[in-house]
Amino acid sequence: MSGEKPEEKRPGRGTVEELVWVLGHLINLEEHKWEMGEVEEATAIKEVRRDFVAQLAKELKWACKWKPQWCVLKHLSSLIVHVEEAGTSGDLSPETVEKLQALYKTAWVAIETLLEEWGSLGFAAEETDRLRETVTQALKEKGIDAAKLIREDRDSR
């Protein structure tokens, strides 16, 4: 047994996916503040995002080669949020929604490819749906309807 290293504990796949969603929402929040002319707020959110990405890189033990490709992850993270919002708007034809679903899946494959290359996915997969269900249930127990919040946010734009 001497010379063997203990196995590193790493976040599960569901956690990593949720962190990518957090990143996408931070990017989009920054974008909304910029569009509204709230430059100081947009700049503050950008700083929060940068700190989050630095912590994410540390937590997920990304190899140092991630920085040159950072912009790709940034845009893919934002893309998945926009695609999901457009696809669930109720304003689009079923054919367009189907194409958006395909684009969504393609974007996630690209994200997973990047994260695998950076060393983030070397762990046993967890059930993402289970994690989302747990969060939704926790919100429900507090009297918060997550789907309603999303609809209200979308309608306010």
Side-chain angles (χ1 to χ4, degrees):
M1 283 241 212
S2 65
E4 286 185 29
K5 292 183 180 179
E7 191 173 318
E8 285 186 53
K9 184 173 188 279
R10 299 181 118 181
R13 176 179 228 90
T15 301
V16 172
E17 287 181 5
E18 294 301 327
L19 292 171
V20 170
W21 273 95
V22 169
L23 175 59
H25 283 293
L26 282 171
I27 292 164
N28 290 330
L29 182 57
E30 178 186 336
E31 176 185 287
H32 287 304
K33 290 296 186 179
W34 178 260
E35 289 170 349
M36 293 169 24
E38 298 175 6
V39 178
E40 287 181 24
E41 290 90 345
T43 302
I45 293 165
K46 181 180 247 175
E47 290 304 315
V48 169
R49 177 180 48 82
R50 285 179 176 163
D51 290 345
F52 174 76
V53 170
Q55 183 61 33
L56 190 62
K58 182 180 175 184
E59 181 75 25
L60 299 180
K61 297 170 180 41
W62 286 347
C64 59
K65 62 186 170 187
W66 70 272
K67 288 183 180 180
Q69 296 174 313
W70 150 246
C71 204
V72 176
L73 178 62
K74 181 174 88 170
H75 289 286
L76 286 167
S77 300
S78 180
L79 175 69
I80 63 168
V81 173
H82 285 295
V83 167
E84 186 273 337
E85 287 187 9
T88 59
S89 69
D91 298 334
L92 302 171
S93 70
E95 295 82 15
T96 301
V97 170
E98 189 175 312
K99 289 182 191 234
L100 285 171
Q101 287 172 329
L103 177 58
Y104 179 86
K105 289 175 186 174
T106 301
W108 268 109
V109 168
I111 288 169
E112 289 176 357
T113 301
L114 277 176
L115 295 179
E116 181 67 35
E117 183 178 319
W118 297 349
S120 296
L121 300 180
F123 47 74
E126 289 182 7
E127 290 294 326
T128 303
D129 290 341
R130 185 176 56 80
L131 177 62
R132 289 189 182 136
E133 185 178 316
T134 300
V135 171
T136 302
Q137 183 61 35
L139 290 171
K140 186 177 181 180
E141 288 171 7
K142 295 187 180 298
I144 300 169
D145 181 349
K148 182 180 176 190
L149 286 177
I150 292 167
R151 281 192 308 275
E152 288 172 351
D153 177 61
R154 191 175 301 123
D155 292 346
S156 71
R157 291 184 195 157

